[in-house]
Amino acid sequence: MTTQQQLQHLYWRAGFGPRPEDVASGWNPRKALRQLLRDSEKIDILDSPEMHYQEPLTPFVAVSPGAGTPQAAMITTPDQPAMRSGVQQPAPGAPMSAKAAVQRGKEPPLRRQDMTPQQRKMQNDNIRQSFYAMNTGWMNRMATSAAQLREKMTFFWHGHFACRVRRPDAALHLNNTIRQLALGKFGDLLLAVSKEPAMLQFLNNQQNRKQRPNENFAREVMELFTMGRGNYTEHDVKEAARAFTGWGYNLQGEFVFRANQHDEGPKTFLGRTGNFTGEQALRIILEQPRTAEFIATKLYRFFVNDAPNPVHIQPLAQAFFKSNYDIGALVEQMFSADWFYAATNVGTRIKSPIELLAGIKRTMGLQLVDDKPLIVFQKALGQTLFEPPNVAGWVGGRNWIDSSSLLYRLQLPSVLLRNTEFNVALKEDENDIAPQVSKGDRTFRQQVKTTVKLAPLQAMLAETAPAQHAGKLSEFVLQVPIRPDNLVLIQKAADNAPAEGRLRAMITSLLSLPEYQLM
């Protein structure tokens, strides 16, 4: 494997793809990894005024979705009880509590049951628009941020700690909590996520009280977040649920421990007996070597290969456990291993829809004039940021590809690079804020206007003969060797294109190959 191939493999797995200048840097993979780690030391939270949801306070005129944007294509979330901001200190634009509103002489936010139909519609539209901004803002961050590894790790944990709530402010705070701790100690991340109002709401721990324990949160913490199924008993679930009684959040979206709702009796959990609190239950889970193995395996499947290799994973898990769960050290060890660059691990993973979209944007310097079609693309391809299908997150792997999603994947390059019309009737979503909409309202049919930075690609080809351009580009664009017959077709398409459109024609053809779906 050439140095360029190794660099491209690293940038695809540890980030969202290489740019032409990354490949031309002259670095070796070890130096590139050190730079990725340095660039990801800085933490920039995801935030903008548009991401902050505003409560409807007074009567108003409802605003309908923009033309050409299907209602079902908007960000949607389950109709769960409203909750306040998940920020520990009020963020700019975050909704204030009813008490704070009264103190400031403002009318407090209306309860949903007290709203008129017009007000409910405006509330739904405001929620959608906030999620729109969060989704597209994060997508652009993935494509442009120097902190590629931090954003990729945030994306990994976004699926690991899958959470879907109605309130944008709570979802955004959870996302930023994950971003801040994504490369730190797993114990700190686990505790912080477990205390997030969004997660406590999603997994019903707000209803977990000593008189009537709710086991949902405790079960998922062990099954999906730490040890995995088969490494605990039903008795452990019941005892852990007792330890988490009293964990909840207040109207301001802040974590609170309600001592009067906590079960202070002795508990026997994972072979230990004591009057355990929720924090102590999490520490006991971290004392289990199986937790380190579970996390290391999941990271291996995400970053290396869908098929776990115990020979590789065991040393990773043991080092992870001994380091007190240092995530940054674990991924550095993974990306530094010789087997990371083995042929069996290169070009063998199917890009998730987010990796596909963010990768095209990053490697091609592509920008949309209007970012909202990115939501439509995500829904059509089966993965929408902030909308995991359930608490287990996205299955991934071969599940990303079916007959319809593959068709859309192969059409996407022409839509983005040639402004071809994108035509899709999105599936009904039972969790939509307004799920019962007509097929017409769920249909997206329009051209998508974009800009592409071709200069870096032209610089890459500067010293290559025109007859070799297609081959040179294929080495950069694809992670697997191009078939000779495809190379002939792409070169022929370039030869038939006008001189000014030759490069764009080659790139579009390469991105449209099934091989581009692999990384």
Side-chain angles (χ1 to χ4, degrees), residues 312-324:
H312 300 159
I313 291 171
Q314 283 304 318
L316 293 173
Q318 291 168 6
F320 191 39
F321 188 75
K322 291 179 181 177
S323 71
N324 193 24

Side-chain angles (χ1 to χ4, degrees), residues 65 69-80 112 120-121 123-125 127-129 131-132 164-166 375 379 384 386-389 426-439 441-443:
T69 303
Q71 186 171 356
M74 295 189 175
I75 286 291
T76 58
T77 49
D79 192 9
Q80 298 173 323
R112 187 167 176 84
R120 290 194 192 100
K121 186 178 186 304
Q123 184 186 60
N124 290 343
D125 286 344
I127 289 172
R128 286 190 183 104
Q129 294 306 318
F131 272 110
Y132 258 149
R164 182 169 174 164
V165 291
R166 179 178 173 85
I375 312 292
K379 285 186 171 290
T384 308
F386 299 100
E387 282 195 55
L426 296 168
K427 299 176 182 178
E428 285 190 287
D429 185 350
E430 63 182 10
N431 290 318
D432 197 344
I433 293 173
Q436 297 178 340
V437 294
S438 68
K439 184 176 181 179
D441 289 331
R442 290 184 283 109
T443 298

Side-chain angles (χ1 to χ4, degrees), residues 9 21 31 48 90 104 163 171 175-176 198 222 224 258 280 286-287 320 328 332 341 354 440 452 464 504:
H9 179 58
E21 54 265 39
K31 184 174 182 180
S48 75
R104 297 189 186 186
C163 181
N175 185 261
N176 278 319
M222 288 187 283
L224 298 175
R258 297 183 173 93
Q280 290 170 323
L286 292 170
E287 291 170 3
F320 191 39
E332 183 176 6
Y341 297 99
I354 297 302
V452 184
T464 305
R504 188 181 292 262

Side-chain angles (χ1 to χ4, degrees), residues 470 486-497:
N486 280 337
L487 185 59
V488 171
L489 291 174
I490 289 169
Q491 189 66 54
K492 188 175 295 185
D495 293 340
N496 292 333

